[in-house]
């Protein structure tokens, strides 16, 4: 439980600073530190258990199907990291209180800081790989926000973006690696994964897993070649740098190496990749640090170099190297955090961090000068300080390194080179800032020591440096042993941390590095001149340039493919429709099935001929639109006849009434469109389209043929058997529509309603002139004979519709067809008498009817709930009506009524609306 | 009979696809309708071709497959709704763009600015 609380306290506490902001800066900082202190107390309370080798576990099932769990463990390794995170966290909060501008209330800063702290704690305490990745991503995001804290500054924004891009990309790689790990092991629980080291290393996917996980670790820990983001993240406020870039965020990568050490390490590949990256980073960081004139820039590259050192140690594949790596993680966190804070104090008091402008500060900031000198000494590896011990261990390990085979001397030699450069830049940090003569501008400014408590965090850290440096076994011996045991997942190797090992190789390397470092520092100006001539490019420009190039390339692809031409999209779609089946069915021999054919009769053949001729005629005459439309309606009629011919009376009735409505509608539409459109397509284009059309048509015909010549295996037997007992109707198609598949029909009439309302909205208020014809040109729009004939048709048609509706459940008919017949009858009145004339007499507004129809259908369906049945269960009963006889009434009939109302009202709404904008308005008529 | 049906489906599909590839809106609408007929017939044909066997209990010896019929009935009505909607879009597009081409940009590039008013009956 405590381990959960340790993570949750900062995460949940993140809302406190913002709330406490109104109480003033001091209270804001005090309240912020509260959850951190509680978490730290819990952590220390757990110390006896952890150091005793027990550790704490907490686990709650969460998203178990994904292999996830809300599981935390507090073993030696995570305890060590949690101590760094919380301990340095408290100091950074205290420091930030004095560092932040007086007019910055700090709420946002502390919120982000706590959020990051919680994410970091979750990462190191996670007992499940997926949970760990989750917190890993959280650290990327919260550090992005922290680095970009001064979002008004473009440098901060760009630095934050770069950090997020690099670490985020690494996070994706890590996720992929972890998923693969989980696949190999069969579990994401850390215990299972760590125990399955041999299985993982023997797996064929091991190299891929390793590379992916290392990508995550190297991007986070700024290892070469992903180191470039870290210096640019220095645009963060200094407390953030002190926290993220010394103790926490950049340590996440090396933490990952430590955490997965038992699962992934021990192979040649691990040694080559990890040691190689670490060595390159170590040297590159140390050398570059000397050429930075910005204090934080120097510290950033020094951090990169030290992270490389830790990584290198993990790569050596020996238990002792692991102990050294863990030791150096602790030491680096303490001295680098204090150095960042000192750099912040200098910046705060003098207004600059440029070492070329600074000098002689010991006269003004004697206290800070002392602290920074000791910390820089630790960074350089001066005896009696903690940095010395881990550096000696490091040198001793490099001598024994064998990962590069015959090139094994490369490691100690390059390590000594890096060591000498680290002495040179540490020397520069001390001498250029605090000693030398004071420049004139600084004398005028006369900086003074910062507030008392701003130095306290630095003092604590420096005292730790000294204490660990002098009495190492007492300070960290037990902690390191437990952490190493947890890292290695076995017994920790026996080790002793003492100041004097004898005059061994490591000490000789240290001395050599010291001498070389002093020499390098002496000739630094020559080196700077040489460095200035190098054709190096600022990583930010390269990165931004690459991002912009990526954006341009994406845009080029997008505009190349998505060029706005609907015709081209259609072409691509159709080509895909052609290509995929052709690819899949090429050479398929079974186009003709086994079942016998039905004989063709002459009448049907003639019908088919008319259908094909009308369709082709439509295509041929499509420039003459009215003629094409007439032929299109012939196609529709022939399709209706085809339905009738092949035993589908319901379909035939529906098709023929829909056809009438559609043709009337298209006629109306044609009024607003050019009647003739000349041929503008090139011959090649016509051939190409014709070819595509022929292939698609041929394919459709072949598929239809292939299916029709095979025996039928249908589920329809159920519907035919159950239509009467289950649905109470003998017309199976109608029973399916209103009962068995009533939900489909409900969806369908909803579509109709939506289409009608959409059309109404599109046409509402539209004023449109027909091309080439002024409004009101039509003379005698309603011929007398039409008017006379149409009026008596209405009651007859309505009677037919009623008849069709009532018999629908048992004989061909139903709500759809009745609705369409009613609509056709009313449309005839529109045509014969004019839209306005008819609508005035009809006196019905379509919208309420439309809604009412849908509601009736819904209510019928919902009604079955009242009786405890599922939605749309129908029931039916028999009525005896005197004079008419037995009538079967089903609730499905009520549903059909809803369908009827929707079909009538939506059809009339559509046609009426289009008709009313084409009709000559009365006012216009009068003015003519 | 099956061959006739297959040929009809093929011809309707081909005609529909050809018209859908035209550059102006009205032929595309007609093409969509033709393709709609083809698809409906195709779906219908999946229940095989039966003569004088309506799916009405007690009116015939055997029954044609009612399920494709129910599906096609739905498809016809939805097809109508879709056609109506597309036609209204066509009208709106002509009003807004002042021409009746499917592609706005491409035609401007290829043929210069679209004509203000397309030709009337010739």
């Amino acid at each position: 439980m405590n381990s959960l609380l340790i993570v949750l306290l900062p995460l949940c506490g993140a809302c406190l600073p913002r709330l406490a902001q109104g109480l003033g800066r001091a209270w804001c900082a005090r309240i912020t530190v509260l959850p951190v202190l509680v978490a730290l107390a819990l952590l220390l309370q757990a110390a006896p258990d952890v150091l005793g080798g027990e550790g704490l576990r907490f686990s709650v099932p969460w998203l178990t199907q994904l292999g996830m769990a809300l599981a935390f463990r507090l073993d030696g390794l995570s305890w060590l990291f949690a101590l760094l995170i919380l301990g340095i966290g408290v100091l950074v909060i205290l420091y930030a209180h004095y560092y932040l501008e007086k007019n910055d209330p700090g709420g946002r800063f502390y919120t982000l800081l706590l959020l990051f702290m919680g994410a970091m704690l979750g990462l190191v305490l996670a007992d499940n790989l997926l949970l760990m990745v989750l917190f890993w991503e959280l650290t990327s995001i919260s550090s992005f926000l922290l680095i970009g804290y001064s979002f008004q500054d473009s440098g901060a924004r760009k630095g934050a973006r770069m950090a997020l891009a690099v670490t985020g990309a690494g996070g994706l790689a890590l996720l992929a690696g972890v998923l693969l790990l989980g696949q190999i092991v069969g579990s994401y629980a850390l215990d299972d994964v760590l125990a399955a080291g041999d299985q993982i290393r023997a797996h064929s996917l091991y190299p891929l897993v390793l590379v992916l996980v290392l990508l995550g670790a190297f991007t986070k820990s700024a290892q070469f070649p992903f180191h470039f983001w870290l210096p640019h993240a220095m645009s963060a406020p200094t407390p953030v740098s002190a926290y993220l870039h010394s103790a926490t965020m950049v340590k996440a990568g090396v933490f990952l190496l430590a955490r997965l050490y038992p699962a992934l390490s021990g192979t040649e590949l691990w040694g080559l990749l990890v040691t190689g990256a670490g060595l390159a980073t170590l040297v590159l960081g140390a050398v570059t640090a000397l050429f930075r004139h910005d204090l934080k820039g120097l510290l950033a590259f020094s951090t990169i170099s030290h992270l490389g050192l830790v990584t290198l140690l993990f790569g050596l594949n020996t238990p002792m190297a692991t102990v050294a790596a863990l030791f150096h993680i602790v030491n680096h966190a303490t001295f680098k955090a204090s150095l960042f804070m000192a750099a912040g104090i200098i910046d705060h008091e003098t207004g600059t961090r440029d070492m070329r402008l600074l000098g002689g500060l010991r006269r003004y900031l004697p206290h800070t000068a002392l602290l920074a000198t000791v910390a820089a000494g630790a960074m350089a590896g001066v005896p009696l300080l903690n940095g010395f011990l881990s550096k000696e261990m490091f040198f001793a390990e490099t001598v024994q390194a064998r990962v590069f085979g015959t090139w094994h001397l490369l490691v100690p030699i390059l390590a000594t080179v890096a060591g000498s450069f680290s002495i040179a830049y540490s020397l520069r940090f001390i001498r250029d800032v605090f000693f030398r003569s004071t420049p004139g501008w600084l004398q005028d400014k006369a900086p003074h020591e910062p507030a008392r408590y701003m130095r306290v965090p630095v003092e604590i850290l420096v005292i730790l440096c000294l204490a660990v440096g002098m009495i190492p076994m007492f300070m960290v011996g037990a902690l390191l042993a437990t952490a190493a045991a947890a890292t290695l997942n076995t017994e920790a190797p026996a080790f002793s941390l003492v100041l004097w090992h004898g005059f061994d190789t490591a000490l000789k390397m240290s001395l050599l590095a010291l001498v070389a470092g002093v020499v390098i520092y002496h000739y630094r100006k020559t080196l700077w001149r040489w460095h200035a001539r190098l054709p190096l490019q600022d990583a930010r420009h390269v990165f931004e340039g690459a991002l912009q190039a990526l954006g341009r390339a994406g845009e080029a692809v997008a505009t190349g493919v998505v060029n706005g031409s609907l015709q081209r999209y259609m072409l691509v779609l159709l080509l895909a429709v052609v290509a995929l089946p052709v690819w899949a069915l090429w050479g398929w021999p079974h186009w003709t099935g086994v079942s016998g054919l039905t004989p063709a009769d002459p009448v049907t053949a003639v019908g088919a001929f008319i259908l094909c001729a009308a369709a082709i005629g439509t295509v041929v005459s499509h420039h003459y639109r009215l003629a094409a439309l007439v032929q299109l309606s012939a196609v529709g009629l022939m399709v209706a006849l085809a339905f009738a011919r092949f035993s589908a009376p319901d379909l035939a009735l529906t098709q023929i009434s829909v056809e009438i409505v559609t043709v009337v509608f298209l006629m109306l539409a044609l009024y607003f469109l050019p009647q003739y459109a000349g041929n503008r397509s090139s011959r090649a284009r016509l051939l190409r389209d014709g070819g595509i059309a022929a292939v698609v048509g041929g394919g459709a015909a072949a598929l239809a043929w292939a299916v029709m010549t095979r025996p039928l295996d249908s589920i329809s037997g159920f519907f035919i058997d159950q239509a009467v007992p289950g649905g109470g109707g003998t017309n199976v198609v109608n029973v399916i529509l209103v009962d068995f598949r009533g939900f489909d029909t409900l969806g369908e009439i909803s579509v109709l309603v939506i289409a009608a309302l959409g059309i109404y909205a599109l046409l509402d208020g539209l004023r449109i002139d027909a091309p080439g014809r002024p409004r009101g040109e039509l003379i005698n729009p309603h011929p007398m004979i039409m008017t006379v004939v149409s009026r008596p048709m209405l009651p007859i048609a309505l009677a037919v519709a009623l008849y069709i509706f009532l018999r629908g459940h048992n004989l061909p008919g139903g709500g759809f067809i009745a609705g369409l017949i009613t609509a056709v009858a009313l449309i005839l009145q529109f045509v014969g008498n004019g839209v306005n004339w008819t609508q005035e007499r009809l006196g019905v507004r379509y919208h309420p009817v439309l809604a009412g129809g849908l509601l009736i259908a819904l209510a019928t369906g919902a009604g079955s709930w009242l009786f405890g049945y599922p939605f749309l269960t129908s029931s039916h009963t028999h009525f005896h009506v005197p004079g008419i006889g037995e009538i079967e009434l089903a609730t499905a009939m009520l549903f059909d009524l809803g369908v009827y109302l929707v079909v009538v009202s939506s059809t009339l709404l559509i046609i009426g609306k289009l008709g009313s904008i084409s009709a000559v308005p009365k006012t216009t008529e009068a003015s003519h | 009979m099956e061959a006739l049906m297959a040929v009809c489906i093929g011809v309707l599909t081909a005609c529909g696809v050809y018209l859908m590839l035209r550059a102006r809106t009205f032929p595309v609408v007609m093409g969509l309708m033709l393709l709609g007929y083809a698809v409906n017939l195709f779906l219908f044909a999946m229940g095989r071709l039966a003569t004088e066997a309506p799916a009405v209990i007690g009116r015939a010896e055997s029954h044609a497959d009612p399920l494709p019929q129910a599906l096609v009935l739905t498809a016809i009505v939805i097809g109508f709704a879709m056609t109506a909607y597309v036609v209204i879009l066509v009208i709106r597009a002509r009003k807004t763009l002042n021409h009746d081409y499917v592609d706005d940009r491409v035609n401007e590039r290829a043929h210069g600015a679209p004509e203000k008013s397309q030709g009337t009956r010739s």
Side-chain angles (χ1 to χ4, degrees), chain A residues 487-793:
Chain A
T487 307
L488 299 168
N489 211 16
T490 53
E491 288 291 298
F495 62 92
S496 72
L497 307 170
V498 288
L499 284 171
W500 180 251
H501 283 278
F503 196 66
D504 56 3
T505 323
L507 194 59
K508 285 176 197 160
M509 286 163 76
S510 282
L511 287 175
L512 189 63
L514 182 66
V515 174
V518 174
V519 172
I520 290 170
Y521 176 70
H522 187 73
Y523 289 106
R524 64 190 184 281
K525 288 190 174 150
T526 322
L527 284 171
W528 291 346
R529 279 195 294 277
W530 165 78
H531 184 261
R533 284 199 301 274
L534 285 182
L536 294 177
Q537 278 191 301
D538 189 352
R540 182 151 80 201
H541 295 147
V542 178
F543 182 80
E544 292 288 329
L547 273 192
Q548 281 173 10
L550 198 65
R552 277 194 301 275
E555 205 177 303
V557 171
T559 48
V561 178
V562 189
N563 65 351
S565 165
L566 298 175
Q567 275 185 284
R568 178 192 290 200
Y569 305 158
M570 182 64 84
L571 184 68
V572 171
L573 276 175
L574 286 170
L575 284 178
V577 165
V578 170
L580 291 177
V582 165
W583 173 66
L585 293 173
W586 191 254
W588 192 52
H590 312 294
W591 285 107
T592 302
V594 289
S595 68
L597 302 180
T598 44
D601 58 275
V603 177
T604 314
V606 170
F609 174 75
I610 295 174
L611 184 130
C612 294
I616 293 167
T618 308
V619 170
V620 171
S621 60
H622 79 264
H623 297 301
Y624 301 90
R625 291 174 169 176
L626 192 61
L629 184 56
V630 170
Q631 294 178 74
L632 185 69
S633 65
V635 176
L637 290 179
M638 292 317 293
V639 170
L641 286 180
F643 288 140
R645 165 71 183 78
F646 295 112
S647 317
D650 285 283
L651 289 190
L653 285 170
T654 314
Q655 176 70 52
I656 204 161
S657 26
V658 162
E659 197 55 38
I660 292 166
V661 177
T662 310
V663 168
V664 169
F665 187 68
L666 285 178
M667 291 272 200
L668 277 175
L670 209 48
Y671 180 74
F672 300 105
L673 294 170
Q675 311 275 308
Y676 171 80
N679 185 5
R680 270 182 141 156
S681 305
S682 66
R683 199 170 182 79
R685 177 96 188 233
L686 294 180
L687 275 175
R688 184 199 73 187
D689 293 349
I692 293 172
V695 175
V696 176
L703 283 176
W705 170 254
V707 176
M708 280 190 290
T709 52
R710 282 171 165 73
L712 177 65
D713 181 20
S714 173
I715 57 169
S716 298
F718 169 82
F719 296 118
I720 293 170
D721 293 342
Q722 292 296 318
V724 175
T730 54
N731 181 4
V732 187
V733 175
N734 186 269
V735 173
I736 291 177
L737 283 175
V738 297
D739 192 338
F740 293 131
R741 309 286 307 161
F743 210 74
D744 292 0
T745 310
L746 191 64
E748 178 197 351
I749 58 174
S750 307
V751 169
L752 212 52
V753 169
I754 292 165
L757 292 178
I759 288 169
Y760 185 85
L762 277 173
L763 289 181
D764 203 28
L766 190 70
R767 282 274 152 256
I768 185 165
D769 288 321
R773 268 166 307 188
R775 184 188 298 278
E777 190 207 314
L778 279 177
I779 299 165
N780 190 10
H782 309 300
M784 167 76 88
I785 189 160
M786 188 75 180
T787 313
V788 171
V789 171
S790 67
R791 289 186 189 172
M793 289 292 277

Side-chain angles (χ1 to χ4, degrees), chain A residues 563-568 570-571 574 596-601 604-605 608 611-612 615-616 618-619 622 624-626 628-629 632 635-636 639 642-643 645-651 654-655 658-659 661-662 665-666 669-670 672-678 680-681 685-686 689-690 692-694 696-697 700-701 703-705 707-712 714-716 719-720 723-724 730-733 736-737 744 748 751-752 755 758-759 761-763 766-772 810-812 816 907 910 914, chain B residues 1-60 62-96 98-107 109-122:
Chain A
N563 65 351
S565 165
L566 298 175
Q567 275 185 284
R568 178 192 290 200
M570 182 64 84
L571 184 68
L574 286 170
L597 302 180
T598 44
D601 58 275
T604 314
L611 184 130
C612 294
I616 293 167
T618 308
V619 170
H622 79 264
Y624 301 90
R625 291 174 169 176
L626 192 61
L629 184 56
L632 185 69
V635 176
V639 170
F643 288 140
R645 165 71 183 78
F646 295 112
S647 317
D650 285 283
L651 289 190
T654 314
Q655 176 70 52
V658 162
E659 197 55 38
V661 177
T662 310
F665 187 68
L666 285 178
L670 209 48
F672 300 105
L673 294 170
Q675 311 275 308
Y676 171 80
R680 270 182 141 156
S681 305
R685 177 96 188 233
L686 294 180
D689 293 349
I692 293 172
V696 176
L703 283 176
W705 170 254
V707 176
M708 280 190 290
T709 52
R710 282 171 165 73
L712 177 65
S714 173
I715 57 169
S716 298
F719 296 118
I720 293 170
V724 175
T730 54
N731 181 4
V732 187
V733 175
I736 291 177
L737 283 175
D744 292 0
E748 178 197 351
V751 169
L752 212 52
I759 288 169
L762 277 173
L763 289 181
L766 190 70
R767 282 274 152 256
I768 185 165
D769 288 321
N810 291 319
L811 287 168
F816 273 122
T907 312
I910 294 170
L914 187 57
Chain B
M1 210 71 101
E2 279 77 5
L4 278 179
M5 185 57 120
V7 168
C8 287
I9 291 171
V11 169
L12 285 176
T13 310
C15 292
V17 166
Y18 181 82
L19 284 181
M20 274 164 61
L21 287 167
R22 296 305 90 209
R24 309 199 49 174
T25 48
F26 196 74
V28 172
V29 174
M30 292 195 293
L32 273 174
M33 286 184 66
L34 281 175
L35 195 66
Y37 294 140
V39 169
N40 286 347
L41 279 181
F42 186 89
L43 276 180
F44 176 66
M46 292 304 101
R48 306 301 186 275
L49 306 179
T51 306
E52 291 182 4
V56 179
I57 311 286
R59 293 294 169 121
S62 64
H63 302 295
D65 194 343
L67 194 58
Q69 294 192 15
L71 295 180
V72 170
L73 205 151
T74 311
I76 292 172
V77 178
I78 295 220
F80 163 67
M82 188 200 68
T83 307
Y85 199 82
V86 171
V87 168
I88 297 306
L89 283 181
V90 162
I91 291 176
R92 249 347 261 254
R94 199 200 75 83
K95 164 82 176 169
T96 312
N98 255 326
H99 64 77
D100 70 335
Y101 283 87
V102 174
D103 283 345
D104 192 20
R105 257 180 43 187
V106 173
N107 278 297
R109 212 183 293 146
H111 309 291
E115 296 161 38
K116 208 48 180 160
S117 163
Q118 302 299 336
T120 51
R121 183 185 296 275
S122 64

Side-chain angles (χ1 to χ4, degrees), chain A residues 284-299:
Chain A
L284 185 88
V287 172
T288 315
L290 186 66
F291 298 101
R292 295 288 135 171
H293 304 302
D294 175 19
L295 274 176
K296 279 177 79 178
L298 183 151
L299 292 176

